[in-house]
């Protein structure tokens, strides 16, 4: 494993929520874990005038709230590498001063010309910032290599947040803009779900064991459910969310990443190129749902009023008569040899019964049922079901049938489970931390390739297009806050003879 290179992390949009709530707490956790390079500086760029000390004080409060293990001495030590740069990222002149400031870091702090640009701004600014980075000649490697030391070339990489485009065409356009300035090997399209332990553990479960992979296909798996439900609503992000909706916000990004890890073919080795190649293939194999089939393949919803809070469409900032979905459940088919006939159900929702992110793999019943007529101790047979819980608990559970002790002869479904915290005695860290360190190490394994993102958009476009207008008009207040979503979503599963994995 390469260690992280010396570098400056330049955060555009430094006064935003993401920097305070996620990025800086994640970096602080990485600092405590000794995972950051010895020569490392953070430069936050934002419009408001502020000095380093004031910004550090603000961030200290946020780190106390959002990071694990507050240690004042560790913070003071880490905070010395945090700096603020007041400037408007939309103005070309700013970049000359920025280049000078970055040069000072190289001269004084040994950051060697290595830059990690982080776009934590509204997506409407992505293209112009990338262009200005280019205009100010801040990219010296890639298109135009430049030797700093005899053996050491400096690098400039860019981390791009989601949403990556708002549809297939805009994602392709953003890819083209990025590609004019940065090599694909220097573009890090981040999805914090890939920083989650159990998402990564899924690859180990599948490919470091012999017992799962032989049955991991349409012959043995009935269907797969990928769920990411939340109890929170849209908070103060109504304007963003109303223009975005749950499919773009969660399914196109996070849930398709989980899907790719669950469904991809084994890469030849554990390495960025091989993993990304397999992910591209499986996402490309997703069938584009026909416009005439949308109603059978998707249910959209908006939460209704509760005693404490109004309905989604009544929130300040939500447009009157909004048909933006706060809940979405879609059924996807994968047109390849492994998965033909085995559907993947992806669902997400705000203000749901529980915060739960999980993958449920439901296996088919045995080919012949030897125990016909033998009573099941409780209800129906569940058979084999593998549940990979990603959040809030990190746990893997496998259900199987067993004999209930005693007479008469009866069958009971039992469960084996591994709790990551009990097993390994570690608490999960903020998912952004390891991903940022990977970007400093030049490891793209857990970042999305441009072609994968475009294929992901292609798969969800039918649910956003005009074919979805029928289901969209039905969504107004169609599920109660604190519930498991619209009744129509249960009906969609019932039509397929299946049920959502809710309360267990
Ligand atoms: C973000 C979405 O990417 O992920 C939010 O924009 C969502 O709407 C969040 O709440 C969920 O992340 P997590 O890690 O809490 O599951």
């Amino acid at each position: 494993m390469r260690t992280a290179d010396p570098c400056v992390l330049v955060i555009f949009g430094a006064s935003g929520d993401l920097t305070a709530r996620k990025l800086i707490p994640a970096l602080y956790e990485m600092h405590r874990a000794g995972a950051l390079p010895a020569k490392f500086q953070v430069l936050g760029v934002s419009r408001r005038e502020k000095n380093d000390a004031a910004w550090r004080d603000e961030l200290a409060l946020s780190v106390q709230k959002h990071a694990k293990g507050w240690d004042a001495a560790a913070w003071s030590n880490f905070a010395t590498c945090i700096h603020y740069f007041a400037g408007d990222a939309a103005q070309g002149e700013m970049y000359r001063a920025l280049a000078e400031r970055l040069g000072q870091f190289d001269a004084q702090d040994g950051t060697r010309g290595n830059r990690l640009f982080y776009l934590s701004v509204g997506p409407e600014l992505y293209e112009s910032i990338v262009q200005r980075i280019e205009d100010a000649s801040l990219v010296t490697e890639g298109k135009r290599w430049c030797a700093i030391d005899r053996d050491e070339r400096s690098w400039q990489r860019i981390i791009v947040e989601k949403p990556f485009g708002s549809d297939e065409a805009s994602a392709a356009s953003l890819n083209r803009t990025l590609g004019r300035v940065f090599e694909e090997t220097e573009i890090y399209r981040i999805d914090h779900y890939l920083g989650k332990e159990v998402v990564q553990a899924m690859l180990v479960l599948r490919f470091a064991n012999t017992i799962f992979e032989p049955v991991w296909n349409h012959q043995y798996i009935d269907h797969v459910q990928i769920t990411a439900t939340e109890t929170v609503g849209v908070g103060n992000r109504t304007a963003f969310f109303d223009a975005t909706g749950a499919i773009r916000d969660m399914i196109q990004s996070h849930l398709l990443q989980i899907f790719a890890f669950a469904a991809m073919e084994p890469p030849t080795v554990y390495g960025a190129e091989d993993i990304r190649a397999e992910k591209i293939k499986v996402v490309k194999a997703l069938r584009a749902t026909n416009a005439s089939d949308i109603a059978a393949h998707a249910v959209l919803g908006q939460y209704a009023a509760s005693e404490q809070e109004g309905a989604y469409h009544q929130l300040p900032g939500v447009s009157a008569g909004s048909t933006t979905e706060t809940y979405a459940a879609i059924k996807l088919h994968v047109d390849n040899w492994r998965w033909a006939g085995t559907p993947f159900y992806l669902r997400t929702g705000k203000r749901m019964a529980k915060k739960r992110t999980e993958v449920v793999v439901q296996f088919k019943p045995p080919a012949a049922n030897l125990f016909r007529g033998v009573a099941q101790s409780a209800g129906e047979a569940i058979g084999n079901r593998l549940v990979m819980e990603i959040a809030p608990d990190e746990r893997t559970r496998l259900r199987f049938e067993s004999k209930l002790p005693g007479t008469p002869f009866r069958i009971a479904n039992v469960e084996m489970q591994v709790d990551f915290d009990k097993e390994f005695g570690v608490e999960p860290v903020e998912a952004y931390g390891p991903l940022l360190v990977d970007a400093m190490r030049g490891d793209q394994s857990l970042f999305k390739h441009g072609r994968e993102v475009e294929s992901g958009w292609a798969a969800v476009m039918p649910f956003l297009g005009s074919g979805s207008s029928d289901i969209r008009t039905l969504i107004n207040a169609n599920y109660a806050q604190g519930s498991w979503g619209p009744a129509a979503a249960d009906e969609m599963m019932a039509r397929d003879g299946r049920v959502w994995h809710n309360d267990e």
Side-chain angles (χ1 to χ4, degrees):
M1 285 273 181
R2 270 188 73 147
T3 51
D5 295 332
C7 62
V8 186
L9 170 66
V10 183
I11 307 176
F12 292 102
S15 20
D17 225 31
L18 184 76
T19 308
R21 278 189 29 234
K22 301 278 186 185
L23 302 183
I24 298 293
L27 287 168
Y28 163 79
E29 287 176 358
M30 292 296 101
H31 167 78
R32 290 196 68 211
L36 293 179
K39 294 182 172 155
F40 173 66
Q41 303 292 327
V42 178
L43 186 64
V45 180
S46 199
R47 266 185 305 200
R48 240 167 283 157
E49 285 295 334
K50 204 182 291 182
N51 60 28
D52 289 355
W55 197 39
R56 289 174 189 168
D57 288 347
E58 274 171 38
L59 294 174
L61 297 176
S62 179
V63 166
Q64 287 176 51
K65 198 155 151 211
H66 299 289
K68 301 231 157 54
W70 171 251
D71 172 343
W75 169 256
S76 320
N77 187 291
F78 173 59
T80 56
C81 79
I82 299 180
H83 311 271
Y84 190 82
F85 185 89
D88 182 354
Q91 300 300 322
E93 311 87 71
M94 183 209 74
Y95 290 77
R96 217 166 322 120
L98 180 66
E100 246 169 64
R101 182 72 183 93
L102 291 172
Q104 286 167 8
F105 284 127
D106 294 338
Q108 289 159 16
D109 304 290
T111 44
R112 293 206 204 154
N114 294 337
R115 323 269 182 250
L116 189 54
F117 298 109
Y118 199 118
L119 297 186
S120 171
V121 290
E124 66 287 354
L125 289 175
Y126 290 176
E127 306 214 17
S128 74
I129 293 181
V130 171
Q131 195 51 52
R132 295 199 155 99
I133 287 176
E134 158 83 341
D135 295 344
S137 303
L138 287 171
V139 179
T140 56
E141 201 206 1
K143 300 281 183 255
R144 292 180 298 277
W145 288 8
C146 134
I148 293 282
D149 297 328
R150 211 178 306 241
D151 309 315
E152 287 278 353
R153 286 199 316 266
S154 62
W155 51 253
Q156 293 86 38
R157 301 180 184 139
I158 187 156
I159 304 186
V160 190
E161 258 298 333
K162 65 172 269 282
F164 194 93
S166 54
D167 55 20
E168 197 182 350
S170 54
S173 154
L174 180 52
N175 274 333
R176 279 197 300 276
T177 306
L178 286 164
R180 276 197 291 272
V181 180
F182 293 90
E183 294 286 354
E184 180 63 32
T185 49
E186 311 303 320
I187 303 171
Y188 288 70
R189 296 174 194 79
I190 197 164
D191 188 308
H192 77 277
Y193 270 46
L194 291 186
K196 295 189 189 252
E197 285 292 348
V198 180
V199 177
Q200 296 171 39
M202 204 167 10
L203 286 191
V204 181
L205 182 100
R206 288 189 57 196
F207 302 132
N209 295 297
T210 39
I211 61 171
F212 297 109
E213 208 40 32
V215 294
W216 205 263
N217 56 51
H218 69 100
Q219 289 184 48
Y220 296 99
I221 294 181
D222 177 71
H223 74 281
V224 179
Q225 295 180 23
I226 300 175
T227 292
T229 52
E230 298 178 274
T231 51
V232 293
V234 296
N236 54 10
R237 298 195 308 158
T238 40
F240 162 78
F241 194 87
D242 205 39
T244 307
I247 294 181
R248 288 188 171 91
D249 186 38
M250 294 293 291
I251 293 190
Q252 190 281 332
S253 49
H254 305 322
L255 270 63
L256 280 187
Q257 288 305 302
I258 302 179
F259 158 78
F261 271 26
M264 71 198 246
E265 294 300 313
T268 315
V269 289
Y270 183 78
E273 220 178 295
D274 297 69
I275 293 175
R276 282 156 48 109
E278 295 305 337
K279 284 174 71 201
I280 294 171
K281 265 158 59 185
V282 78
V283 176
K284 253 174 110 169
L286 283 168
R287 186 188 306 165
T289 309
N290 282 333
S292 56
D293 283 346
I294 295 292
H297 283 76
V299 172
L300 304 180
Q302 257 183 21
Y303 59 79
S306 69
E307 275 170 20
Q308 294 76 38
E309 193 189 306
Y312 170 76
H313 66 92
Q314 296 166 327
L315 292 176
V318 170
S319 59
S322 165
T323 58
T324 299
E325 73 287 356
T326 60
Y327 172 95
I330 66 175
K331 175 176 162 183
L332 291 173
H333 300 279
V334 189
D335 282 330
N336 67 11
W337 197 274
R338 184 187 285 262
W339 294 116
T342 295
F344 283 74
Y345 298 90
L346 277 51
R347 68 171 167 161
T348 184
K350 304 276 184 200
R351 286 267 181 258
M352 300 278 288
K354 282 189 184 145
K355 163 85 184 168
R356 183 182 282 175
T357 313
E358 67 178 17
V359 181
V360 178
V361 178
Q362 178 64 53
F363 290 86
K364 291 183 175 173
N369 184 4
L370 163 70
F371 300 105
R372 295 183 289 276
V374 175
Q376 191 79 22
S377 70
E380 305 253 311
I382 296 172
N384 297 130
R385 180 192 286 161
L386 180 69
V387 181
M388 290 165 278
E389 292 184 29
I390 298 161
D393 298 314
E394 298 187 323
R395 183 158 52 202
T396 300
R397 297 150 57 192
L398 180 65
R399 299 207 71 103
F400 56 93
E401 303 294 337
S402 176
K403 180 186 174 298
L404 194 69
T407 51
F409 193 101
R410 279 189 301 165
I411 292 182
N413 195 272
V414 293
E415 182 173 273
M416 285 194 308
Q417 82 177 43
V418 178
D419 277 272
F420 281 52
D421 60 345
K422 283 201 204 109
E423 187 71 24
F424 303 112
V426 286
E427 272 192 86
V429 292
E430 170 51 56
Y432 274 96
L435 293 176
L436 287 167
V437 173
D438 279 355
M440 296 173 206
R441 292 171 44 233
D443 183 344
Q444 288 186 303
S445 310
L446 299 174
F447 292 84
K448 302 181 274 193
H449 193 284
R451 287 212 298 282
E452 183 193 344
V453 178
E454 288 178 35
S455 300
W457 275 116
V460 302
M461 285 316 290
F463 303 105
L464 297 166
S466 54
S468 73
S469 53
D470 288 350
I471 48 173
R472 216 165 264 284
T473 52
L474 300 175
I475 75 180
N476 193 356
N478 66 356
Y479 71 97
Q481 296 188 36
S483 74
W484 279 108
D490 296 334
E491 288 154 19
M492 174 172 95
M493 287 300 253
R495 281 196 302 274
D496 292 351
R498 299 177 175 123
V499 286
W500 291 112
H501 186 248
N502 284 347
D503 291 316
E504 286 171 59

